[in-house]
Amino acid sequence: MKNPLFNWIYMTVFVIALTSCATTKIPQTPQQVAQGFWDATIAQNMAEIREYSSKTNPPPPDTQIPTWPNATVTFGKVQLKDNNAWIDTTIELTEHNKPVSLSFTTVLIKEVSEWKVDHSKTMENIQAKREEIDSKQNTAKKLMKKLRELGDQFAQDIDKAATELKKQMPEIKKDMESLGKDIDRKSVV
């Protein structure tokens, strides 16, 4: 029969080994980290957002998490250089009951052999993209307003021309009758 002390030591070593394997982090790719970060953002889970964010550029303590229910995130081109990664990211969401597609770059940095999202640079990219979209929308609104003004001016010009034509109609009718009489006289001759 085996010694009970030996069994206890064997079980303790086994449990410690098993526990250390379970808690050892598996290295994640930049795409996996970005996916976790955006999943946490959509779920509004600040603890996970901080877990996926870099320690050098974490979200500020007063960070407002965007409310993007039912948003979907897709990733495109990935660029790696040294300890930096850039991932083309698109978030499809609904704002003011309208579908919105927001494309920007998620920025990651490698910290102690782990990829982390550079929160401040990624948020700057989103803000720049939103400002670009707002600028395009404002330009479109200005263009539509100008087109409406031109249409209104055109309608006013047509009304003025029609009014002027009505005023001159008796004179035009008189001139036409006079022209008709001249033609009749010349054809008689």
Side-chain angles (χ1 to χ4, degrees), residues 24-124:
T24 301
K25 284 190 175 181
I26 298 169
Q28 292 186 313
T29 66
Q31 297 94 320
Q32 290 169 322
V33 172
Q35 185 69 57
F37 176 84
W38 290 112
D39 287 348
T41 300
I42 291 168
Q44 296 193 310
N45 184 333
M46 185 53 88
E48 280 190 35
I49 292 171
R50 289 189 190 289
E51 179 66 30
Y52 286 107
S53 296
S54 75
K55 304 304 178 225
T56 55
N57 286 321
D62 61 345
T63 297
Q64 293 291 328
I65 304 172
T67 304
W68 293 335
N70 304 317
T72 57
V73 180
T74 56
F75 300 105
K77 182 178 171 186
V78 178
Q79 297 177 37
L80 297 171
K81 184 176 180 187
D82 301 325
N83 289 329
N84 298 293
W86 300 267
I87 303 175
D88 291 344
T89 308
T90 301
I91 296 180
E92 303 285 337
L93 52 109
T94 302
E95 286 186 346
H96 309 293
N97 296 320
K98 293 181 182 177
V100 176
S101 179
L102 191 60
S103 297
F104 56 93
T105 302
T106 299
V107 180
L108 295 98
I109 56 176
K110 204 171 209 181
E111 292 180 344
V112 193
S113 75
E114 288 185 327
W115 287 104
K116 299 288 184 172
V117 172
D118 186 323
H119 188 269
S120 63
K121 287 183 181 174
T122 299
M123 293 305 129
E124 286 172 13

Side-chain angles (χ1 to χ4, degrees), residues 5 13 20 77-78 116 142 163 166:
L5 182 59
V13 169
S20 69
K77 182 178 171 186
V78 178
K116 299 288 184 172
K142 287 178 185 176
T163 303
K166 281 182 183 178

Side-chain angles (χ1 to χ4, degrees), residues 150-165:
L150 286 171
D152 291 347
Q153 184 63 46
F154 182 69
Q156 288 175 358
D157 290 347
I158 296 251
D159 285 346
K160 283 181 185 176
T163 303
E164 190 63 34
L165 188 60

